Amino acid sequence: MSIVEREHGVAIAGGELPLILLPTNCPGCGIALEREKMRAQNYVCDCGHHFRLGADVWIPIVADEGTFQERWADVRSHDLLKWIVPKRYEAVVDELLAEGLNESVRTGTCTLDGRAIWLAAFDFGFVGGTLSIVAGERLARGMEQAASTHTPYVLVTASGGARMQEGVLALMQMAKVNAAVGALHAAGVPFFSVLTDPTFGGTAASLALLADINIAEPNAAIGFTGPRVIKQATYADLPPGFQSADFQLAHGQVDMVVPRTELRPLLAHLLELYSSVPTPKSGDYSHPTKSSISRGPRSGTPVSVWEIVELARHPERPYALDYIRRLAPDFVELHGDRLSADDPAIVGGAGSWHGRTTMFIGHQKGRTLKERVARNWGMMHPEGYRKAIRLAKHAAKFGFPIVSLIDTPGAYPGAGAEERGIASAIAIAIMEWFRIPVPILAAVIGEGGSGGALGMGVADRVLMLENSIYSVASPEAAASIVWRDNTRKVEAAEQLQITSREIHAMGVVEEVIPEPKGSARADYDGAARALDEALQRNLQPLLVLPTEELLQRRYDRFRYIDSLVRAEPQFGPKID
């Protein structure tokens, strides 16, 4: 008999959640539990403990009432290995079916806040939520149909891994569902994964962590090998919080940790952000020239170059998040490089900007001493550059333009950064920015220090705030290198010509953005309005360019960037 049988639709009523069996007392706080109260709170205790839920509870949590149409519910597992230890596999499946469970994965279509989605939910109560032949087939079919119909896909996981009782054929489901995830990504379909307790083994290593946005529930255990097996294999003591949701957030594997009570509004907002891309207005693209500086009221020219340096570095100057939250109040921050860490020196995420979902990425120095230490004064580690490029590729998948806000003394000059490949991380980032097939705008909002800044500064158009600086090295470093005396930093700053006016005159940036009276630190809102207007004006002509032309012009911009100050015009760019 075929493993995959006919499809059919079965309506789930949705609405009020079913009552589930709970312990007498909460394992988190020890307080006696009231089932009705727990149901009203999506089975989250007042102390924050999240109880495990089956698919029959997750479906009405996510889906609009009465909209879930289950698919392939009649597909059944087969005891291909004739498994008998410690109990016949066939008998285990029959008993679970008799209890009303339907395999480890249920999938179908529904709406979430009125938007159509495909939804798949694992059920840990069915053989530990393990990935089986049936589960793999349901997941793959749903993803394939989501890709072909361009319907967003939401996954809720709770799994111990691949199902032992189905042997290597269960192992092969990892490849099957992974390929289906690839089809989702190739089709540009939004894929959101909700990781609940526990998500391990073949499920984590095939699809659960490959979403566009990975969302973990608080205290969910997430990993590949379980801690008990790790201890048995290595005899090592594991650190506190090992494999918890917060552990995976800090180590770059998930974008956010979200309480269950906030999950549905978040998913609804993400669906709105990722639903469409506005049609750009037609218009002509003009190649940047030296004369493209903006005009407007001036804040008053500082008396010296060093005064500009001090304004650019001032601790009360607005940082990236100050601008982003004014430009896009619905900004959703994303985290992690998906390799090893999340670098707090760089922030990034999606938000609505002038009716268009936009990816914002920027340095964040930190306002208090504690935050500055945590964010490393805006100096990126290798993981930060990998995170930035991951978000840039994420934006490219969905056609989001990118705004990069630069404010860093430079890349972190530490031994750990060197051990983890800071030079190659910057080099790869610079190269990858040239390949990102969506418009990119960069603005130096404070310090633009050395290669650490350029790793975020490859763009179609680059702007500078009036009292910002951009340099091959910090004045202190230049003084130390040239004169071996860093007390000559003022002289070095003057010699380097690092102010916005000087950098613009060299043709390195397209525009200088005026700051409010008293500089940007005196009027955050005014500075944000000026930045907003300049970014929007520079973005519009980029939106109408074919991708090939956009990338070629980006290449030409840096290929010929010094021609505006050179005596050999034959080496200059082609001016339209």
Side-chain angles (χ1 to χ4, degrees), residues 193-245:
S193 180
V194 180
L195 299 109
T196 76
D197 183 59
T199 298
F200 274 95
T203 298
S206 61
L207 80 164
L209 290 165
L210 286 184
D212 297 300
I213 299 180
N214 293 336
I215 306 164
E217 284 203 316
N219 300 314
I222 303 164
F224 181 57
T225 305
R228 179 175 55 83
V229 177
I230 293 175
K231 288 180 179 180
Q232 289 177 348
T234 66
Y235 302 100
D237 292 329
L238 302 178
F242 181 68
Q243 293 181 320
S244 68

Side-chain angles (χ1 to χ4, degrees), residues 425-456:
I426 294 172
I428 291 169
I430 292 173
M431 180 174 64
E432 289 297 326
W433 283 117
F434 281 103
R435 300 174 180 176
I436 301 299
V438 292
I440 304 172
L441 297 174
V444 182
I445 60 173
E447 289 185 90
S450 189
L454 184 60
M456 290 287 295

Side-chain angles (χ1 to χ4, degrees), residues 25-218:
N25 298 85
C26 173
C29 63
I31 299 298
L33 296 173
E34 300 176 29
R35 286 211 299 166
E36 289 290 352
K37 179 182 178 181
M38 288 295 97
R39 175 165 65 175
Q41 297 178 177
N42 287 357
Y43 295 104
V44 179
C45 182
D46 292 337
C47 73
H49 179 78
H50 285 56
F51 288 92
R52 291 180 181 176
L53 303 180
D56 60 331
V57 187
W58 272 112
I59 289 168
I61 284 179
V62 175
D64 291 338
E65 183 175 356
T67 65
F68 185 73
Q69 294 289 320
E70 187 161 6
R71 307 291 293 277
W72 312 299
D74 53 353
V75 178
R76 294 288 180 263
S77 296
H78 299 274
D79 189 8
L80 302 173
L81 304 185
K82 305 302 180 185
W83 189 281
I84 58 173
V85 179
K87 189 174 182 179
R88 288 178 53 246
Y89 175 47
E90 194 172 58
V92 170
V93 171
D94 288 344
E95 289 173 7
L96 292 170
L97 291 173
E99 293 174 7
L101 299 180
N102 189 328
E103 254 296 337
S104 58
V105 172
R106 295 175 66 182
T107 188
T109 58
C110 63
T111 64
L112 197 171
D113 202 28
R115 297 183 184 274
I117 65 168
W118 272 86
L119 172 64
F122 276 75
D123 196 320
F124 195 77
F126 197 103
V127 196
T130 44
L131 188 61
S132 64
I133 297 170
V134 173
E137 188 65 28
R138 290 179 181 179
L139 289 164
R141 282 196 167 197
M143 289 181 176
E144 289 164 354
Q145 293 206 16
S148 65
T149 58
H150 213 270
T151 304
Y153 193 94
V154 176
L155 174 71
V156 181
T157 64
S159 173
R163 189 168 298 174
M164 298 294 180
Q165 295 91 332
E166 294 185 6
V168 74
L169 291 176
L171 180 68
M172 294 301 106
Q173 303 311 303
M174 294 173 60
K176 175 191 288 185
V177 298
N178 189 288
V181 171
L184 275 181
H185 289 315
V189 174
F191 172 27
F192 308 131
S193 180
V194 180
L195 299 109
T196 76
D197 183 59
T199 298
F200 274 95
T203 298
S206 61
L207 80 164
L209 290 165
L210 286 184
D212 297 300
I213 299 180
N214 293 336
I215 306 164
E217 284 203 316

Side-chain angles (χ1 to χ4, degrees), residues 192 236 309 318 331 385 474 512:
F192 308 131
V309 173
F331 173 72
Y385 293 99
S474 71
V512 175

Side-chain angles (χ1 to χ4, degrees), residues 18 21 60 313 330 335 502:
L21 291 175
R313 294 173 170 177
D330 65 346
H335 293 269
E502 293 164 322

Side-chain angles (χ1 to χ4, degrees), residues 334-345:
L334 306 177
H335 293 269
D337 66 350
R338 293 294 189 272
L339 292 174
S340 61
D342 177 58
D343 187 349

